[in-house]
Amino acid sequence: DSFDAVGLRRKHVAFFLNLAQRGERQLGGAEQAAWLDRLDTDHDNFRAALEWSESDPDGREDCLRLAKALGRFWEIRGYLTEGRSLMEKALAIAPIELEDLRMRALNQLGNILRVSGEFGPAHQAFNESHALTLKLGFKQGEAIVLNNLGICAMNLGKYDESREFYERSIEICREGGFTVDLARALDNYAGLLSLTGQRDRARELQREAL
């Protein structure tokens, strides 16, 4: 039998995409440390899977799915330059009609850029993600991205703009019952209020967030 290199590579991509997606779901929970180590152990396999799926005309959706799944890992472990480059490549080649996936990947790219201190490019990525949340009618995604836009605006010294983003995020979270996202937005808004001298109000929001 002839050796099917393409088929083998696609199986490799599928296996490590599944692993990355499992890890992504665990990075917000009690098993975070163990999963960070597991993902780090297979980082070279993830790099190879990204490279192969990028070069495969039928693998470009998987390339973006894999990059998006690894985004939080790259952010936490500090693979910021590499993560940004790989995410931007995956977004550039992914089919434009994958709007839900692109929305999530752009938000994660924004997080990587924000943690890198590149608040202007982060703001742009979050804006693109926000536009897709509106197009798709995804209210929880809108709340999450508005909170991230609030952080960026705050770091850029645009306090009035930041306040508007946080207040809208909080409003959507209350309406939709998005409790975890509400806690995050309240805490971030409290940081802005404290920064601008409104410490009593900041403490009220921090208590609610807690």
Side-chain angles (χ1 to χ4, degrees):
D1 293 336
S2 61
F3 177 65
D4 181 9
V6 173
L8 185 63
R9 286 182 173 185
R10 285 177 177 169
K11 287 180 181 178
H12 179 278
V13 170
F15 178 87
F16 285 99
L17 172 57
N18 178 266
L19 178 63
Q21 289 175 330
R22 285 167 55 207
E24 180 185 28
R25 291 192 291 271
Q26 298 297 325
L27 290 186
E31 298 298 314
Q32 183 190 76
W35 271 98
L36 286 169
D37 288 343
R38 174 74 190 275
L39 297 174
D40 236 336
T41 298
D42 277 310
H43 204 178
D44 283 339
N45 275 309
F46 292 128
R47 291 179 176 114
L50 283 163
E51 183 179 343
W52 290 339
S53 58
E54 181 186 339
S55 64
D56 182 354
D58 295 323
R60 293 176 176 181
E61 178 175 346
D62 281 345
C63 184
L64 184 56
R65 290 192 183 282
L66 181 53
K68 183 261 174 187
L70 291 170
R72 182 72 174 138
F73 160 70
W74 288 330
E75 178 190 344
I76 295 172
R77 277 287 160 97
Y79 296 106
L80 302 176
T81 302
E82 180 180 14
R84 172 187 183 174
S85 175
L86 292 170
M87 188 78 78
E88 287 177 337
K89 282 182 184 177
L91 279 161
I93 64 169
I96 199 73
E97 63 268 18
L98 298 174
E99 292 178 330
D100 183 84
L101 179 58
R102 295 181 70 87
M103 171 197 70
R104 297 169 191 273
L106 282 162
N107 182 62
Q108 186 56 62
L109 174 61
N111 283 326
I112 291 171
L113 290 164
R114 178 176 57 79
V115 173
S116 303
E118 299 193 51
F119 301 116
H123 196 275
Q124 181 178 342
F126 288 135
N127 263 332
E128 291 181 41
S129 181
H130 181 235
L132 286 170
T133 68
L134 295 176
K135 184 176 181 180
L136 295 168
F138 182 33
K139 300 304 290 185
Q140 185 174 16
E142 183 184 357
I144 290 168
V145 178
L146 285 168
N147 178 49
N148 287 329
L149 281 165
I151 297 170
C152 276
M154 182 170 65
N155 283 304
L156 288 166
K158 299 178 178 179
Y159 296 152
D160 288 343
E161 190 176 309
S162 176
R163 175 180 53 77
E164 291 173 8
F165 285 135
Y166 285 141
E167 288 181 351
R168 179 61 181 144
S169 177
I170 289 166
E171 180 184 10
I172 294 170
C173 287
R174 292 195 197 284
E175 290 173 354
F178 310 131
T179 311
V180 174
D181 302 311
L182 175 60
R184 290 178 178 143
L186 287 167
D187 187 49
N188 288 328
Y189 189 22
L192 174 65
L193 292 171
S194 181
L195 190 64
T196 55
Q198 297 170 266
R199 293 186 177 84
D200 290 341
R201 177 63 178 145
R203 276 192 288 272
E204 289 177 16
L205 296 188
Q206 285 170 332
R207 289 190 190 99
E208 184 181 355
L210 182 61

